[in-house]
Amino acid sequence: MLKLHDLFKVYRTDEVETVALNGVNLEIDQGEFVAVMGPSGCGKSTLLNIVGLLDSPTDGDYFLFDENVAKYAESRRSVIRKRNIGFIFQSFNLIEELNVAENIELALLYHKMPAGERKRRVAAAMDRMGIGHRAKHMPGQLSGGQQQRVAVARAVVGNQPLILADEPTGNLDSVHGQEVMETLRSLNAEGTTIVMVTHSAAHADYAHRTVNLFDGHVVTDNTRAA
């Protein structure tokens, strides 16, 4: 599904050069569930942003479905991103002025899709996440676990083949965190590829494979025995 080859990301100012990714080589097959771990500042979020086409590498290649997207302009990356990638963030990133259904539907507004089809997909995503009864609630009326379920529904409503999760349980207690992880495992069992950044070894155990970064390098890449 995706392949990173000799990938570098360097941030430069007038006085400082920071190497966030330093020659990363990584392949992820369709249907995998991969956890990315490592200390703060090791390049995890930078890696996820590049895989998610939110940023471009300074050098190297990034193949997504055999297409080298590394040097694409934002406008072209945006089209590919909307078609292929769903995002789940630690901070939920819900819009406070929109209710649950509207927050989820927002992910479909950039697609050429009839309103009736959007409504059908939103209803199906809410039912899947067990939040259909909260459709008219505002984010501020929900618990943290419920807000993250809304965020997951928004990520899956477009049926994208790849979901990127950046510390998806970071703002949740252990019970709600486990619920989110069970949801991700269920989505993966249905065929969705998941790449998740986490600091939690317990949550990384839900994945089939764990990639550890340190100083912008991949230092270990372990597949869990079936």
Side-chain angles (χ1 to χ4, degrees):
M1 172 179 266
L2 65 90
K3 178 180 179 180
L4 310 178
H5 177 68
D6 283 345
L7 203 76
F8 289 81
K9 182 63 180 182
V10 181
Y11 296 99
R12 295 184 176 92
T13 66
D14 291 340
E15 299 178 355
V16 179
E17 178 176 285
T18 303
V19 180
L21 296 176
N22 192 355
V24 169
N25 292 285
L26 181 66
E27 293 188 38
I28 295 174
D29 292 332
Q30 195 159 353
E32 284 200 274
F33 187 166
V34 179
V36 180
M37 301 188 74
S40 297
C42 71
K44 300 186 302 294
S45 292
T46 300
L47 178 67
L48 210 65
N49 285 340
I50 290 176
V51 169
L53 298 174
L54 297 171
D55 200 358
S56 294
T58 305
D59 199 8
D61 298 309
Y62 171 24
F63 294 90
L64 181 63
F65 294 112
D66 297 322
E67 182 177 2
N68 193 347
V69 298
K71 302 302 181 185
Y72 283 179
E74 164 56 22
S75 57
R76 195 169 179 185
R77 295 202 314 270
S78 177
V79 172
I80 298 171
R81 183 170 63 238
K82 291 169 187 172
R83 187 169 65 238
N84 293 291
I85 305 172
F87 295 89
I88 304 170
F89 300 99
Q90 176 178 345
S91 55
F92 315 139
N93 284 12
L94 302 180
I95 296 177
E96 293 295 329
E97 294 77 19
L98 301 181
N99 65 31
V100 165
E102 290 166 339
N103 263 285
I104 297 169
E105 186 179 11
L106 197 63
L108 300 175
L109 294 180
Y110 303 103
H111 300 265
K112 294 180 179 178
M113 185 181 297
E117 175 65 9
R118 292 201 307 269
K119 300 296 184 186
R120 186 194 68 77
R121 289 201 184 193
V122 169
M126 288 191 297
D127 287 345
R128 185 180 196 178
M129 297 306 302
I131 51 174
H133 62 298
R134 300 285 189 179
K136 299 300 182 183
H137 285 68
M138 308 302 283
Q141 298 173 296
L142 306 177
S143 69
Q146 289 168 338
Q147 289 189 58
Q148 191 61 297
R149 287 205 292 274
V150 176
V152 175
R154 182 184 57 195
V156 304
V157 71
N159 295 323
Q160 288 94 336
L162 174 62
I163 288 181
L164 304 181
D166 193 358
E167 294 284 358
T169 63
N171 285 334
L172 303 178
D173 60 35
S174 60
V175 173
H176 289 119
Q178 185 174 350
E179 288 178 1
V180 168
M181 293 309 305
E182 291 290 350
T183 299
L184 292 179
R185 178 152 63 185
S186 175
L187 290 169
N188 177 247
E190 295 169 9
T192 303
T193 304
I194 297 175
V195 181
M196 174 184 69
V197 164
T198 182
H199 280 103
S200 168
H203 292 161
D205 282 344
Y206 281 81
H208 307 141
R209 179 178 165 199
T210 301
V211 174
N212 277 277
L213 296 184
F214 187 76
D215 286 349
H217 297 278
V218 174
V219 291
T220 63
D221 186 345
N222 299 312
T223 300
R224 182 165 52 85

